Amino acid sequence: MKQFVIKDYETGKASYWLGNRKSGIDLAVDELGVWVLWGSKDKNYGLKAALLDSSSYNTTHSWNVTAGAMNEIGNAFIICGVVYTIDTHNRLTAIIDLAFDTKTGKKWRPGIKFKNDGSFITMLDYNPTDKLLYCWNNEKLYYYPLLLNSTQHL
């Protein structure tokens, strides 16, 4: 069994997703591989992302995705190396409010509305095989088809 240690993670509500008192680390898979998202224990508890090497499970690189605290983010997902965050976990309409491209370091605000079909998002992840966004929400699994542009961005 492989083990991955996140040196700058600590438990506590500042490093958890907004509204979720128990989840501060998330695994994601996209076309590039396996990712880890977590709230850093740096002074602002910002969201960080790391791509794992598929054989050693060591990080190839890590990125500071947000300057604000992780507990201000509803959830996040990754597509083609781009980290997307949503602004809430419990409103009927969330906004995909931040995109961070790990290849270029570029950030932008997509401002895409995201319909929350349930009432409490606890998991939001992209599947590169079927190109769907999956959401565990209020004890139900929802999926959303995505339309990506030619650069594989939403």
Side-chain angles (χ1 to χ4, degrees):
M1 182 167 103
K2 300 278 185 173
Q3 182 175 346
F4 173 70
V5 177
I6 301 173
K7 295 179 182 169
D8 65 343
Y9 174 76
E10 69 180 33
T11 60
K13 63 183 179 181
S15 60
Y16 294 160
W17 295 117
L18 174 67
N20 191 335
R21 293 180 220 131
K22 305 266 190 228
S23 180
I25 297 175
D26 194 9
L27 295 174
V29 176
D30 74 354
E31 294 79 1
L32 302 179
V34 178
W35 295 83
V36 179
L37 299 169
W38 73 95
S40 168
K41 70 177 181 182
D42 294 343
K43 63 181 178 183
N44 62 0
Y45 295 98
L47 176 64
K48 293 187 86 170
L51 180 61
L52 298 180
D53 179 270
S54 61
S55 57
S56 70
Y57 289 98
N58 292 323
T59 59
T60 59
H61 189 75
S62 65
W63 294 266
N64 294 311
V65 176
T66 65
M70 179 142 161
N71 65 1
E72 296 173 356
I73 300 169
N75 216 305
F77 57 96
I78 302 177
I79 301 174
C80 297
V82 177
V83 181
Y84 295 92
T85 67
I86 60 171
D87 66 341
T88 187
H89 67 288
N90 63 355
R91 286 194 309 261
L92 291 177
T93 301
I95 304 293
I96 300 174
D97 64 340
L98 178 72
F100 175 78
D101 190 331
T102 61
K103 294 180 233 81
T104 64
K106 180 183 168 193
K107 289 183 185 182
W108 67 97
R109 301 233 175 244
I112 299 170
K113 289 184 180 180
F114 176 79
K115 187 174 181 238
N116 181 356
D117 287 323
S119 60
F120 195 95
I121 296 171
T122 55
M123 182 276 298
L124 189 61
D125 283 300
Y126 169 71
N127 182 332
T129 303
D130 59 15
K131 310 282 191 224
L132 295 173
L133 185 63
Y134 287 86
C135 177
W136 183 255
N137 191 328
N138 200 24
E139 300 181 3
K140 294 181 182 152
L141 181 65
Y142 297 90
Y143 63 90
Y144 302 88
L146 299 175
L147 181 61
L148 303 176
N149 66 21
S150 62
T151 59
Q152 296 297 303
H153 294 155
L154 289 176

